[in-house]
Amino acid sequence: MSTTQPIRNQHDLEQLKNYYLNQKPNLRNYALICTAVNTALRISDILILKWEQVYDFSLKKFRTHLEITEKKTGKHCMTALNQAAITGLRFYFESLSYVDPKHYIFTGHLRDTPLCREQAYRIIKNACNTLHLPDHISCHSLRKTFGYHAWLAGTNPALLVSIYNHSSFEVTKRYLGIEQDDKDHLFLNLTL
């Protein structure tokens, strides 16, 4: 069994994000991918988000931060919603005829139940297969992708360790696949 990998190539990431916007329009799926890749949350936490957590209905605007209690760890987590996440959510929000603040954002056919993990996985895999993206991409890849690209952009390793609740940067490097990338870079660029 292979390990889920982050989406390392920026072009592949853009293709995946835009698949449900342009190629096979589905604004729910587009918002799901934008939210997942820009918040570094686990899919189990994203699927149970409700509109009131991301949108302030009294002020009629998207919130700047998302506050949750992580399902897996039980820890309180506050995550800033960046413009890319808000854009994905806004497109979806504006496409809906009515939005109940208490309803789940990412629903299946039954409007009062959240999308299941298996369906979220199929959404990601369908897009990846159609786009011929590398194997080993899943819902968890979106969480890893955030950290991988943050690391490439020069983010302080201690901050990544904190975001992922890991015990050390060594654990985070393995989690994001950075350790193998470092080794590959050395072997491919050193000619003796």
Side-chain angles (χ1 to χ4, degrees), residues 6-74:
I7 302 167
R8 289 173 169 80
N9 182 295
Q10 188 68 39
H11 176 72
D12 290 348
L13 179 56
E14 288 303 313
Q15 279 191 294
L16 177 62
K17 280 175 41 182
N18 292 320
Y19 178 75
Y20 288 109
L21 183 63
N22 300 321
Q23 264 184 274
K24 187 177 179 185
N26 184 314
L27 294 177
R28 179 202 63 191
N29 296 352
Y30 173 71
L32 176 68
I33 292 169
C34 289
T35 302
V37 81
N38 285 288
T39 62
L41 294 173
R42 290 176 186 88
I43 197 69
S44 58
D45 293 322
I46 292 169
L47 294 178
I48 59 172
L49 289 175
K50 295 188 176 183
W51 281 110
E52 64 189 353
Q53 292 175 274
V54 298
Y55 190 80
D56 186 325
F57 285 83
S58 62
L59 297 176
K60 298 185 189 288
K61 68 177 195 173
F62 280 88
R63 298 183 186 280
T64 58
H65 289 80
L66 172 62
E67 290 187 61
I68 66 163
T69 300
E70 292 180 339
K71 195 173 177 181
K72 180 177 179 179
T73 65

Side-chain angles (χ1 to χ4, degrees), residues 68-108:
I68 66 163
T69 300
E70 292 180 339
K71 195 173 177 181
K72 180 177 179 179
T73 65
K75 292 181 181 178
H76 180 265
C77 172
M78 186 156 86
T79 303
L81 288 172
N82 68 19
Q83 198 54 52
I86 291 172
T87 297
L89 290 164
R90 178 178 287 120
F91 282 1
Y92 182 38
F93 182 86
E94 291 174 353
S95 75
L96 301 171
S97 57
Y98 171 73
V99 177
D100 184 324
K102 303 268 184 226
H103 279 186
Y104 296 104
I105 298 171
F106 305 108
T107 58

Side-chain angles (χ1 to χ4, degrees), residues 24 56 123 150 156 161:
K24 187 177 179 185
D56 186 325
I123 288 166
N156 182 329
V161 171

Side-chain angles (χ1 to χ4, degrees), residues 89-144:
L89 290 164
R90 178 178 287 120
F91 282 1
Y92 182 38
F93 182 86
E94 291 174 353
S95 75
L96 301 171
S97 57
Y98 171 73
V99 177
D100 184 324
K102 303 268 184 226
H103 279 186
Y104 296 104
I105 298 171
F106 305 108
T107 58
H109 294 295
L110 302 174
R111 290 282 178 215
D112 57 346
T113 60
L115 200 62
C116 68
R117 291 175 59 98
E118 293 77 14
Q119 184 60 23
Y121 175 79
R122 285 191 292 271
I123 288 166
I124 302 302
K125 288 309 283 184
N126 179 51
C128 289
N129 290 338
T130 302
L131 296 167
H132 306 291
L133 297 183
D135 291 338
H136 316 305
I137 296 176
S138 69
C139 295
H140 205 64
S141 295
L142 303 181
R143 176 172 158 85
K144 290 183 176 190

